Amino acid sequence: MVDNGNTYGERVSRLVGWGHWFAFFNIIAAMLIGTRYITESPWPETLLGQFYLAISWVGHFGFLVFALYLLVLFPLTFLIPSRKLFRLVAVCFATFGLTVLLVDTQAYQKINLHLTPVVWEVLLNEEGSSVNIDLQHLFVVLPLIFLLQLALSEWVWRKQRRLSHKHIGRPIAVLFFVSFITSHLIYVWADAYFYNPITAQKANFPLSYPMTAKSFMERHGLLDREEYLQRLRENQAHAELVRYPLEKLEFSRRANSLNVLIVSVNNLRSDVMTSEWMPNAANFAEQNLSFTNHYSSSNDTFGVFGLFYGLPSSYVSSIKMQGSRPILLDTLLDKDYSFGLFSGDNFDDALYGETIFRGLNFTGIAFNDASSPDTQAINAWANWVEQRKKSPWFSFIELTTVDNFSAYDDKGNHSTIDKLQNGYHASVTHADEELGVLFDKIEQLGISDSTVVILTSNHGTEFNETKTNSWGSNSNYSRYQLQVPMVIHWPGKVPAIYDHRTSHLDLSVTLLQDLLGISSNPSDFSSGQSLFDESPRKWILAGGTRELALITNKDTTVIDKFGNYKLYDGNYQRLQDKNPTLPVLMQGLTELQRFYAKSN
């Protein structure tokens, strides 16, 4: 309906003026709600950091709300001729926007994340969770927000001329504009000069993308590249990217001086460790502690990262940059363990030298054709052990025979799939012979009663069992690529079979608690728990640097870095019309944030 008594131009002019003041008061409302982000974020320690927080708070919410007004409501001013209808639309839009902002503050408070497609879609679909109950409480205030917006709409309409006569609109607009521009310029400087009290605030507010301009500054002589790179190196050397551990470790248990030997047969699936394919390994499992439902923390070489650190693979880059060794290894060093590190390819993967064993010496082996590289690595290890005059020691042996299973071609007239599987089984059998050599060496050296021996793998391999055209590793998170052996010989422990779900993230916890006497809560230094803790667990965490996989008894949820998720059943078949459970999803996302330093 068109209002009587007013021309189209007059109506539009008054609605535009009303819209500006309506947007202004909603900016104030958004800023008040936005204080929840400030209270849930670390308080800047410097005056400049606090000043940046204040002007970014003013500038960001001023820009965000006014931009939404310009993009959505301002065009409607010219399309909706009825002032009452337009104001109702504006009230509904403002109510929706403030409600979404409230939901985002709740997500930020609970899991330190802003709304993403995966968080938003799942957040409201799970009943009975604490997060969902909190959100229901938020939606209770939605009618109140609507009524307040209606009242604000009417009040601004009645007071519009009086507000305009006060001539405060322009100074207010200048304040928001200057705050917005100044905050971005300050961040440009802070980013170029690594001023952490400011750069740490990058993700405090939703839809916040502070400007950076290092290339522009360098091009115009405002930034010296060499000085910048020097500051970068210094910042990386001193910055605490990851708090690992979260709390100082406590030692209130008596440490055991047993030696530790970890053997990784790379690329080894758990289901091939049978008397048919691996009789030596199968016999070793029968006589010791066998964890038959064990998962690697990754479907690629980063599985060994989780084995030593007890952290998901998403922390790899930050841990590498920070230069932190595994707590397990640092504790062994503190207790005067000597280290022997051996590999069938002399640790060709940079992950070992640059991250896991950083600062430690590898035992380089001059390989020859007399025997396999893995056998030579085992012999080099045995010679090293013979030279140890006293215990304790820690040793890691990487066997790489199964990595090269395609070289074991049976030359028969078989299909490609059969050739791959036959080659894999042949390599597995050859690796088992090498393990037989290792077990004989352990007996010959007489160290069986003084050494914890751990047999496992970095990841498994698949031959398209999921019917998703997946081969080898690093292509999905099915049990074929994640489920690996975990067998432990532990002097004094009775042989047993454990069928509860366990993870690579659990090994460091187990050794630190049961061997080295740490009494701290595992959550202070790991994402895992003791291997011997048989209490039900909601999920097993796996993944790489790009994705996260949450594996439950029923399904597997895979989430990428953009927040997109896919749900698979127990056979890793895609479930199109189901959503992952909120508690599992939220706990997994929280675990990926938990060890990052609060100031980053």
Side-chain angles (χ1 to χ4, degrees):
M1 181 182 72
V2 179
D3 294 342
N4 295 323
N6 294 96
T7 66
Y8 174 80
E10 291 172 339
R11 287 196 302 272
V12 168
S13 177
R14 189 171 182 191
L15 285 176
V16 168
W18 173 89
H20 283 73
W21 284 108
F22 185 72
F24 164 71
F25 286 108
N26 273 284
I27 289 174
I28 302 302
M31 289 174 58
L32 292 175
I33 295 173
T35 57
R36 297 189 74 187
Y37 299 112
I38 297 176
T39 58
E40 293 300 323
S41 303
W43 183 252
E45 298 178 355
T46 65
L47 185 61
L48 182 57
Q50 295 164 11
F51 174 73
Y52 172 81
L53 176 61
I55 63 170
S56 63
W57 172 60
V58 174
H60 180 71
F61 285 104
F63 171 80
L64 187 63
V65 176
F66 195 69
L68 289 173
Y69 164 75
L70 288 179
L71 291 173
V72 179
L73 295 182
F74 183 71
L76 294 179
T77 307
F78 302 92
L79 300 176
I80 301 178
S82 170
R83 63 189 183 189
K84 292 184 178 179
L85 178 58
F86 173 77
R87 285 165 50 192
L88 179 61
V89 170
V91 165
C92 293
F93 182 73
T95 302
F96 174 78
L98 292 182
T99 303
V100 171
L101 186 62
L102 275 171
V103 173
D104 187 80
T105 61
Q106 191 69 15
Y108 188 79
Q109 182 182 36
K110 290 292 184 180
I111 59 176
N112 201 32
L113 292 172
H114 294 294
L115 290 178
T116 63
V118 61
V119 174
W120 177 254
E121 185 172 349
V122 178
L123 210 54
L124 307 179
N125 291 335
E126 185 70 18
E127 297 182 358
S129 70
S130 60
V131 178
N132 186 265
I133 292 173
D134 290 339
L135 290 176
Q136 289 176 5
H137 292 159
L138 288 180
F139 283 117
V140 169
V141 304
L142 192 150
L144 177 62
I145 295 175
F146 179 76
L147 292 176
L148 289 175
Q149 290 288 342
L150 278 178
L152 175 64
S153 169
E154 184 63 24
W155 183 83
V156 170
W157 186 260
R158 293 179 182 275
K159 303 293 183 180
Q160 180 181 347
R161 288 187 172 86
R162 182 178 299 179
L163 291 169
S164 299
H165 290 157
K166 291 182 180 293
H167 302 292
I168 60 175
R170 184 168 297 178
I172 291 173
V174 170
L175 172 65
F176 286 123
F177 179 77
V178 170
S179 296
F180 178 75
I181 295 299
T182 304
S183 65
H184 280 270
L185 291 178
I186 292 177
Y187 191 90
V188 166
W189 170 84
D191 178 66
Y193 289 88
F194 300 100
Y195 191 71
N196 191 62
I198 290 177
T199 57
Q201 302 179 46
K202 179 179 180 179
N204 279 10
F205 301 131
L207 300 176
S208 176
Y209 304 101
M211 183 171 61
T212 60
K214 292 187 287 289
S215 298
F216 175 85
M217 294 173 69
E218 180 183 351
R219 195 161 52 245
H220 290 80
L222 301 175
L223 180 67
D224 184 272
R225 180 174 178 81
E226 293 303 321
E227 290 182 3
Y228 170 79
L229 293 176
Q230 178 63 28
R231 287 193 298 269
L232 176 62
R233 288 189 289 267
E234 293 174 355
N235 184 70
Q236 290 176 349
H238 297 96
E240 184 186 43
L241 303 175
V242 178
R243 289 186 59 201
Y244 174 71
L246 294 174
E247 304 289 344
K248 185 178 179 180
L249 298 180
E250 297 180 1
F251 294 81
S252 60
R253 303 176 185 176
R254 183 178 178 182
N256 199 325
S257 59
L258 294 174
N259 308 313
V260 179
L261 169 61
I262 298 179
V263 183
S264 175
V265 184
N266 290 352
N267 208 26
L268 185 64
R269 290 165 53 134
S270 62
D271 59 1
V272 297
M273 209 168 71
T274 64
S275 56
E276 178 182 2
W277 304 115
M278 302 186 73
N280 292 316
N283 182 59
F284 180 73
E286 289 176 0
Q287 298 178 9
N288 292 287
L289 310 172
S290 180
F291 298 84
T292 58
N293 196 11
H294 185 83
Y295 288 79
S296 174
S297 56
S298 184
N299 60 1
D300 57 16
T301 56
F302 288 118
V304 74
F305 174 87
L307 189 72
F308 279 95
Y309 282 91
L311 299 177
S313 301
S314 59
Y315 289 100
V316 167
S317 59
S318 295
I319 285 286
K320 178 184 175 181
M321 185 178 297
Q322 186 167 306
S324 300
R325 265 198 307 259
I327 290 173
L328 171 63
L329 300 188
D330 278 345
T331 305
L332 290 168
L333 287 168
D334 290 342
K335 294 187 177 296
D336 296 324
Y337 274 67
S338 55
F339 277 67
L341 308 173
F342 305 84
S343 170
D345 62 6
N346 279 329
F347 295 108
D348 183 60
D349 195 315
L351 176 66
Y352 292 101
E354 296 178 357
T355 307
I356 298 174
F357 298 133
R358 184 170 183 160
L360 301 175
N361 295 323
F362 298 149
T363 303
I365 303 170
F367 296 117
N368 55 54
D369 297 331
S371 59
S372 71
D374 285 352
T375 299
Q376 294 178 60
I378 291 170
N379 290 332
W381 168 82
N383 293 333
W384 178 82
V385 172
E386 285 183 326
Q387 297 172 9
R388 299 306 98 192
K389 300 301 182 182
K390 60 179 181 179
S391 293
W393 50 260
F394 170 88
S395 194
F396 177 76
I397 303 177
E398 180 192 31
L399 303 182
T400 60
T401 294
V402 186
D403 275 336
N404 305 311
F405 69 88
S406 59
Y408 291 81
D409 189 354
D410 60 5
K411 307 298 182 183
N413 187 21
H414 300 113
S415 66
T416 302
I417 296 178
D418 289 339
K419 285 186 176 182
L420 287 173
Q421 290 179 327
N422 292 341
Y424 184 78
H425 291 145
S427 69
V428 161
T429 300
H430 187 70
D432 185 69
E433 295 171 358
E434 294 165 343
L435 287 175
V437 173
L438 175 64
F439 298 148
D440 290 341
K441 293 288 185 183
I442 291 174
E443 295 302 322
Q444 293 169 13
L445 293 167
I447 59 174
S448 181
D449 293 335
S450 60
T451 305
V452 176
V453 181
I454 300 158
L455 175 62
T456 188
S457 179
N458 54 356
H459 59 80
T461 194
E462 182 183 353
F463 297 99
N464 200 32
E465 285 92 345
T466 59
K467 306 302 179 184
T468 57
N469 199 30
S470 295
W471 305 86
S473 59
N474 197 24
S475 56
N476 66 40
Y477 296 97
S478 66
R479 65 178 183 272
Y480 306 104
Q481 298 188 35
L482 289 178
Q483 207 162 349
V484 296
M486 175 56 73
V487 181
I488 302 179
H489 166 76
W490 198 304
K493 291 187 182 290
V494 179
I497 296 177
Y498 296 90
D499 59 4
H500 64 285
R501 286 188 304 153
T502 56
S503 165
H504 266 15
L505 305 178
D506 303 336
L507 179 65
S508 61
V509 174
T510 306
L511 293 176
L512 286 166
Q513 287 187 331
D514 292 19
L515 182 70
L516 301 174
I518 283 183
S519 58
S520 300
N521 192 315
S523 63
D524 287 344
F525 56 87
S526 174
S527 295
Q529 61 188 42
S530 173
L531 287 166
F532 302 113
D533 184 353
E534 299 185 58
S535 59
R537 56 201 308 173
K538 295 180 179 179
W539 41 261
I540 290 289
L541 193 63
T545 57
R546 304 182 308 273
E547 293 177 317
L548 164 71
L550 291 160
I551 305 161
T552 70
N553 287 324
K554 297 180 179 180
D555 51 45
T556 298
T557 303
V558 179
I559 312 167
D560 67 20
K561 62 181 180 180
F562 301 108
N564 303 308
Y565 69 84
K566 296 179 181 178
L567 191 65
Y568 300 87
D569 64 16
N571 296 317
Y572 211 77
Q573 301 302 304
R574 179 78 182 275
L575 298 172
Q576 298 285 354
D577 301 323
K578 292 186 64 178
N579 291 324
T581 57
L582 178 63
V584 170
L585 187 60
M586 292 298 101
Q587 289 170 16
L589 292 174
T590 301
E591 197 63 35
L592 294 186
Q593 301 287 327
R594 196 163 61 88
F595 285 92
Y596 284 114
K598 293 299 182 182
S599 60
N600 285 278

